[in-house]
Amino acid sequence: MPSPTTSKRVAMLTLGCARNEVDSEELAGRLTAGGWQLVDDEADVVVVNTCGFVESAKKDSVDTLLAASDSGAKVVAVGCMAERYGAELAESLPEANAVLGFDHYGDLADRLDDVLAGKALESHKPVDRRTLLPITPVKRQEKAQEVQVPGHGWGPRVLRTRLDDAPVAPLKIASGCDRRCSFCAIPSFRGAFVSRHPDEIVAEAMWLAEQGVRELFLVSENSTSYAKDLPRELGALEQLLPRLAGIEGVDRVRVSYLQPAETKPSLVKAIATTPGVADYFDMSFQHSSEAVLRRMRRFGSTESFLALVAQIRELAPQAGIRSNFIVGFPGETEADVAELERFLTEARLDAVGIFGYSDEDGTEAEGLGDKHDADTVAERVSRISALVEELTAQRAEDRVGEEVVVLVEHEEDDETDCTGRAAHQAPEVDGECVITNADGLSVGDLVRCRVDAAEGVDLVVTAIEVLPR
């Protein structure tokens, strides 16, 4: 074991989604509590929080692990890819000194001590994490205290260290997923759905506000399921949102990852009309052809999705709506693609991600017939992406002349411009606002602006006034 005077410097590298960012800050909190110093370079150990969602993310994770090894530091893999593949990853990547799963998060500081001391650690052995909690959601909370679920079970004490000073921060409200989408492996390694207690979420939100965070980005695998496993008196997401929006210092609360089939009118109303909550809807449509959705083990259709979009815009005409879609799914016909084109054209979404289907290990879709060749999938991705680029640019053009409230996130080097996001733009994925008269503005300012022009999904805006904190 290292002595008290031994250097214990650790660097955290995070890949993947905002949920991983929260997990990394939890791990940073655990490591600092265990005597480790967080550094950006010249680390003794580099912890890589991997992503294991799709093939490109897995490649990025492996490349990052190899690059970390080249630095001369000891390397530890954690996160989704480590949880999903465990010993298999360790065997194929001897450059990693340890491959640890979620069950190691609670004592990660001790495990890094072992790595630094040269001890060999047994690699994580994956299990289907859906089997660790009861099938019935209402029976999960007590059992969840016995299972290591990243970001859960802290109580009123916040076990988190921020890894940047951005004015926006992700806040985890739940983990896992009970849905059985045929293309998705996430539930097998993230586990069954389990909510965090609302008081625990509020306590962490208050802590984030004290750190200077002005926008809370609520994350989970399925936010529409929040509180289904909690006592009814604790309320649902509709009751949590005003509590978070009412925290001193918090100016905007944003919800991510809503399942259309579970989105109730009461939730739509809460997001669209609660002061301090962004009228922003991150809807997981995935497709709009009813036949394709059924093969995906999902529900909905072009008409039902258009009705949901209309419901949102009736309450909040300027609301931002974004989604992702998979094209080239096994059995998808030209008629199905045309149906998706019809939906996209009529829905006028603000931001859209298009992904070509590829097999994922252990999923139902991996065994489906009627698969398309790579050229067909690529052609459909290109075709739908071109349509989406045109439609989202038109939607952005519609905002010219409107007023938006922008959270400033970056100051440009020439100090004449700065960039940020309006309520309809989520971090990293939905475009940004460029403020052209940025004199006197600082990161963290909330600024009322006029939209002067659109460049694709990005907006060019003029600052009118800085809003008080």
Side-chain angles (χ1 to χ4, degrees):
M1 190 69 63
S3 71
T5 58
T6 300
S7 171
K8 292 173 57 172
R9 296 171 302 178
V10 60
M12 292 287 312
L13 300 179
T14 307
L15 296 99
C17 63
R19 299 184 293 274
N20 256 16
E21 292 175 20
V22 178
D23 292 350
S24 285
E25 294 196 346
E26 176 195 346
L27 293 177
R30 293 184 182 279
L31 290 172
T32 54
W36 284 81
Q37 177 190 358
L38 292 170
V39 297
D40 293 325
D41 50 31
E42 296 185 358
D44 300 300
V45 179
V46 177
V47 176
V48 180
N49 191 354
T50 60
C51 179
F53 181 41
V54 293
E55 203 58 44
S56 59
K58 297 174 199 172
K59 182 181 184 304
D60 287 345
S61 294
V62 170
D63 289 346
T64 302
L65 287 162
L66 291 173
S69 176
D70 288 343
S71 72
K74 294 182 182 294
V75 178
V76 174
V78 298
C80 290
M81 190 174 182
E83 176 66 37
R84 186 176 181 185
Y85 294 104
E88 180 184 345
L89 175 63
E91 184 176 351
S92 63
L93 198 71
E95 291 84 355
N97 297 88
V99 175
L100 306 178
F102 298 149
D103 291 337
H104 293 97
Y105 280 18
D107 59 1
L108 187 65
D110 292 338
R111 300 292 71 76
L112 294 200
D113 287 343
D114 292 339
V115 169
L116 197 55
K119 294 184 179 179
L121 299 182
E122 184 177 2
S123 298
H124 167 65
K125 291 185 171 57
V127 298
D128 187 335
R129 293 190 73 85
R130 291 171 294 191
T131 64
L132 302 181
L133 293 173
I135 293 176
T136 306
V138 295
K139 295 182 178 179
R140 287 180 189 160
Q141 285 294 318
E142 184 176 348
K143 181 68 175 175
Q145 303 304 313
E146 305 170 16
V147 176
Q148 188 70 45
V149 181
H152 287 245
W154 302 346
R157 180 175 66 99
V158 177
L159 188 62
R160 179 173 178 175
T161 295
R162 294 218 67 200
L163 295 174
D164 61 38
D165 57 359
V168 58
L171 174 59
K172 186 178 289 188
I173 63 171
S175 289
C177 185
D178 288 341
R179 300 186 72 87
R180 294 294 181 266
C181 302
S182 63
F183 56 83
C184 183
I186 289 175
S188 66
F189 56 86
R190 276 289 183 179
F193 183 88
V194 57
S195 304
R196 293 180 69 190
H197 193 286
D199 291 347
E200 184 179 312
I201 296 171
V202 170
E204 187 175 343
M206 293 174 67
W207 178 83
L208 287 168
E210 292 169 359
Q211 311 303 307
V213 171
R214 299 193 75 178
E215 178 178 318
L216 302 173
F217 185 34
L218 308 188
V219 299
S220 72
E221 275 76 24
N222 179 5
S223 296
T224 33
S225 283
Y226 177 74
K228 74 176 186 178
D229 53 328
L230 297 175
R232 184 168 298 180
E233 60 267 22
L234 293 179
L237 187 54
E238 295 92 315
Q239 286 72 49
L240 177 63
L241 291 176
R243 289 186 66 185
L244 295 173
I247 293 172
E248 184 177 353
V250 172
D251 291 285
R252 183 185 286 164
V253 178
R254 183 184 304 277
V255 184
S256 72
Y257 214 79
L258 303 172
Q259 288 287 346
E262 298 178 30
T263 303
K264 300 176 292 185
S266 59
L267 179 57
V268 172
K269 183 177 180 181
I271 294 174
T273 65
T274 301
V277 175
D279 49 358
Y280 173 83
F281 294 81
D282 175 17
M283 308 301 306
S284 176
F285 289 125
Q286 302 298 348
H287 211 284
S288 74
S289 163
E290 194 166 3
V292 174
L293 287 166
R294 293 299 177 269
R295 288 173 73 86
M296 290 180 169
R297 300 293 185 203
R298 296 176 66 85
F299 302 95
S301 64
T302 295
E303 300 309 326
S304 67
F305 291 167
L306 288 174
L308 179 55
V309 169
Q311 181 187 10
I312 292 168
R313 293 216 168 109
E314 183 178 359
L315 289 168
Q318 293 180 313
I321 308 176
R322 70 118 38 227
S323 191
N324 293 323
F325 297 85
I326 298 172
V327 295
F329 193 78
E332 180 190 61
T333 65
E334 280 296 329
D336 295 325
V337 178
E339 187 72 357
L340 176 57
E341 291 172 324
R342 180 170 78 89
F343 170 71
L344 291 168
T345 302
E346 296 185 29
R348 297 173 59 246
L349 305 180
D350 292 85
V352 177
I354 301 297
F355 299 90
Y357 171 82
S358 61
D359 286 337
E360 271 297 301
D361 298 339
T363 61
E364 179 185 350
E366 187 181 23
L368 291 178
D370 299 324
K371 292 222 173 82
H372 297 290
D373 59 50
D375 288 344
T376 299
V377 174
E379 184 277 326
R380 291 181 180 179
V381 168
S382 177
R383 169 175 151 194
I384 300 299
S385 295
L387 174 64
V388 161
E389 186 174 350
E390 178 183 352
L391 293 170
T392 53
Q394 290 172 3
R395 176 68 175 158
E397 284 281 354
D398 291 343
R399 295 187 184 273
V400 174
E402 295 180 354
E403 288 188 1
V404 293
V405 176
V406 177
L407 177 63
V408 178
E409 295 187 46
H410 302 285
E411 297 178 63
E412 301 303 313
D413 292 338
D414 60 10
E415 297 184 357
T416 58
D417 294 349
C418 62
T419 59
R421 293 175 299 102
H424 70 281
Q425 297 168 317
E428 298 184 4
V429 294
D430 296 340
E432 62 185 12
C433 292
V434 179
I435 304 177
T436 55
N437 59 333
D439 241 6
L441 297 182
S442 301
V443 171
D445 284 342
L446 206 63
V447 187
R448 186 165 64 90
C449 300
R450 182 187 67 248
V451 180
D452 297 327
E455 298 177 352
V457 295
D458 296 332
L459 301 180
V460 179
V461 303
T462 299
I464 300 172
E465 65 171 333
V466 178
L467 301 178
R469 287 184 178 270

